[in-house]
Amino acid sequence: MDLPAGRRGRAVADRPVGRARSGAARLARAAGGGDALGVTPRIRTMFFYYLQLAVRSFRRNRALTALMVLTLGLGIGASITMLTVLKLLSGDPLPTRSARLFTPVVNPWPAENATPADGMPRWWGNLMSYTDAMSLLHAHKARRQAVTASTKAKIDPTQPGAHSFYGQGVMTTPEFFAMFGAPFAYGGGWSTQDAENQARVVVISSALNDRLFGGGNSVGKMLRVNDHDYRILGVLKPWAPQPRFYALTFGEDAYGDGDAVYLPLQSARADGMKPAGYSCWAPGNVAHLETAPCAWVNLWVEFAQVSGARAYKRFLSHYVQQQIALGRLHHPEVWLFSLTGFLDRQKVVPDDLRLQTNLAFGFLLICIVNTVGLLLAKCLWRSREIGVRRAMGAIRRTIFAQYMVESAIVGIAGGVLGLAFAEFGLLVIRHQPAPYAHLAYLDLPMFAATFAVALVASLIAGLLPAWRACAVVPAPQLKSV
């Protein structure tokens, strides 16, 4: 028979609610109610009551519960794994400075080499000839500027019995450290006078300092690089932008522990150090790259304000027009890329990685849909229970809240399992030959994102089953008891 759902029924239904209305709940209402977050004792009581109902429901349907948690865990693990790798590759190497850092590019190729219709070729990068780079450097049209080129540095330890080894090196100009914000633990960089005098001075990384000098203050000591003695001027603190944007076009690994030594460009070249790569557009003596028709350095500039980029690009166009008139250059096109724009142009984040990330989130969507089906099946199986509660006075809002709490618990459990799957996925990636593989770790923001995604996914999955539970009509269910 049909039971009325009147005031008396509501007073009997959901006994924890009735208990919450006495004692502490009345005192809370008298005092304004709620804690610092506005949660009243009645809400807390109801929440714990729903937790008890959820635990009982999970125990009655252990296989179904395990299947839901496993489904969500797989989807969350796959999506978080790919999202972590995408975040690693698409990260800003200098978040506090990148908006003011730009790299200019001119076209040094002969007149018969037409510029592509879609702009500068990606393989070109920001390579520039030494003549153009130094001319723009000495023009001082930016707040700071630095010319850079990567090199392989053979380092000879001074310890008895120690063997020589190779490290990454950078040949650059004095303002490199200030412009990129490289922090010093000891000493500092070289001066413009040191660069002009081709002084044999060097700045070393903290890792190299730890390896050779035990982490102490090594300023003033000598270091043998490529069979030449250099005096240490400074030691950097741990500093390794990811990726090494100032060396991307030279075939070096873009990710890793950073460079070992930083040398004055003119001093290193005078001692015969070669750049890691170069590109020539005409025959020439590559032993003298400073005058050869080759591009092998890049130029980075910093502006006090982002608006300074417009004035600099006008100056760059004027410079190219002058060089065309002199017969050195033949193409009027110029480019001025921001740091992040340059990374996008270089396809630092491969298109296939973006595709894989989208596929992983598509898989998560499929897992959510499957979880919806499982929750809905569970809801239909419990129709009689819901009908009895409704007949005893439980309102639709409480039924909806109960099912959403159950969905949230499934999501949290799925997040824990997804975290394990994500760690396993990143472990597999770390064993891949990719240059960034050893950096694929789950950091704190991605750890939090795992549970955020899990909770949101489970709540989305629980909306339809919870709505279906609210729509259960008590009378037919009671007739079938």
Side-chain angles (χ1 to χ4, degrees):
M1 63 179 177
D2 298 340
L3 297 178
R7 293 178 178 268
R8 183 175 302 174
R10 292 192 180 93
V12 175
D14 298 333
R15 292 185 181 276
V17 178
R19 287 197 294 269
R21 288 176 178 170
S22 62
R26 291 175 182 173
L27 291 175
R29 283 199 301 272
D35 55 14
L37 299 177
V39 180
T40 63
R42 178 178 182 275
I43 294 177
R44 286 196 296 270
T45 303
M46 287 299 299
F47 177 74
F48 287 116
Y49 175 52
Y50 294 150
L51 286 180
Q52 293 175 2
L53 292 179
V55 171
R56 292 175 185 173
S57 174
F58 295 151
R59 287 177 178 175
R60 288 197 303 266
N61 304 274
R62 295 182 180 179
L64 189 61
T65 301
L67 186 58
M68 288 189 293
V69 172
L70 179 62
T71 301
L72 271 181
L74 285 172
I76 292 166
S79 58
I80 292 299
T81 298
M82 297 311 303
L83 191 61
T84 300
V85 177
L86 181 64
K87 178 187 174 185
L88 169 64
L89 294 183
S90 60
D92 189 341
L94 296 176
T96 61
R97 295 173 176 266
S98 60
R100 304 191 306 273
L101 292 176
F102 292 78
T103 181
V105 181
V106 300
N107 189 342
W109 296 88
E112 57 270 18
N113 291 74
T115 303
D118 61 346
M120 184 192 75
R122 182 171 61 85
W123 53 263
W124 188 350
N126 61 342
L127 286 175
M128 187 177 289
S129 69
Y130 181 85
T131 300
D132 290 324
M134 299 307 290
S135 296
L136 295 173
L137 178 76
H138 293 147
H140 298 292
K141 294 296 183 178
R143 180 188 180 189
R144 295 189 184 103
Q145 47 269 313
V147 177
T148 67
S150 290
T151 186
K152 280 289 185 181
K154 188 185 77 166
I155 300 171
D156 298 314
T158 57
Q159 296 88 342
H163 298 286
S164 301
F165 60 92
Y166 283 89
Q168 300 289 353
V170 176
M171 302 182 292
T172 186
T173 49
E175 293 184 324
F176 176 93
F177 306 101
M179 187 169 67
F180 294 144
F184 280 89
Y186 307 107
W190 57 87
S191 65
T192 303
Q193 191 66 35
D194 290 331
E196 293 176 353
N197 294 337
Q198 298 183 3
R200 285 195 174 99
V201 293
V202 65
V203 170
I204 66 175
S205 67
S206 62
L208 183 62
N209 188 55
D210 293 341
R211 180 172 179 175
L212 299 183
F213 304 104
N217 187 350
S218 57
V219 173
K221 296 183 179 180
M222 302 303 293
L223 179 67
R224 193 161 183 82
V225 182
N226 286 16
D227 300 323
H228 292 86
D229 291 326
Y230 285 79
R231 180 170 54 88
I232 298 175
L233 277 186
V235 179
L236 294 180
K237 294 179 180 178
W239 184 73
Q242 306 293 334
R244 293 170 62 241
F245 58 92
Y246 51 85
L248 275 179
T249 56
F250 300 117
E252 300 294 328
D253 291 341
Y255 300 87
D257 298 329
D259 299 290
V261 292
Y262 303 82
L263 308 139
L265 177 61
Q266 290 88 342
S267 303
R269 287 294 299 153
D271 288 338
M273 296 187 193
K274 299 178 180 179
Y278 54 86
S279 178
C280 299
W281 57 88
N285 187 358
V286 295
H288 300 282
L289 286 172
E290 286 78 4
T291 57
C294 302
W296 58 280
V297 295
N298 54 31
L299 174 66
W300 288 89
V301 297
E302 179 190 15
F303 303 112
Q305 301 292 335
V306 179
S307 58
R310 291 192 294 270
Y312 191 89
K313 191 170 184 180
R314 289 194 298 268
F315 156 73
L316 190 62
S317 296
H318 182 65
Y319 168 80
V320 169
Q321 292 295 338
Q322 286 181 333
Q323 298 305 307
I324 291 175
L326 295 174
R328 284 195 61 254
L329 299 179
H330 306 279
H331 300 277
E333 297 87 4
V334 297
W335 297 268
L336 186 62
F337 293 103
S338 65
L339 193 158
T340 53
F342 174 68
L343 295 180
D344 290 340
R345 181 70 187 183
Q346 291 300 104
K347 299 290 184 181
V348 173
V349 181
D351 292 335
D352 58 347
L353 178 62
R354 297 186 188 275
L355 177 61
Q356 291 170 11
T357 304
N358 292 335
L359 290 176
F361 276 92
F363 177 66
L364 175 60
L365 180 61
I366 294 174
C367 293
I368 293 175
V369 172
N370 288 335
T371 304
V372 170
L374 294 173
L375 287 172
L376 193 57
K378 186 177 179 181
C379 170
L380 295 176
W381 183 78
R382 296 171 62 187
S383 296
R384 292 183 182 179
E385 174 191 334
I386 298 171
V388 171
R389 289 194 61 205
R390 288 292 311 281
M392 294 179 66
I395 59 178
R396 292 180 176 178
R397 184 175 61 213
T398 61
I399 299 295
F400 184 85
Q402 174 191 339
Y403 272 81
M404 293 306 292
V405 168
E406 290 187 15
S407 299
I409 295 175
V410 171
I412 293 174
V416 174
L417 185 60
L419 185 63
F421 284 135
E423 286 288 0
F424 176 75
L426 293 174
L427 177 64
V428 172
I429 290 175
R430 287 196 293 273
H431 286 81
Q432 300 300 312
Y436 58 82
H438 66 288
L439 299 174
Y441 284 92
L442 200 67
D443 56 12
L444 185 59
M446 293 307 300
F447 181 86
T450 301
F451 290 97
V453 170
L455 188 60
V456 171
S458 63
L459 293 178
I460 292 175
L463 285 175
L464 180 59
W467 175 83
R468 181 64 182 83
C470 295
V472 171
V473 179
Q477 306 301 326
L478 294 177
K479 288 179 180 180
S480 62
V481 173

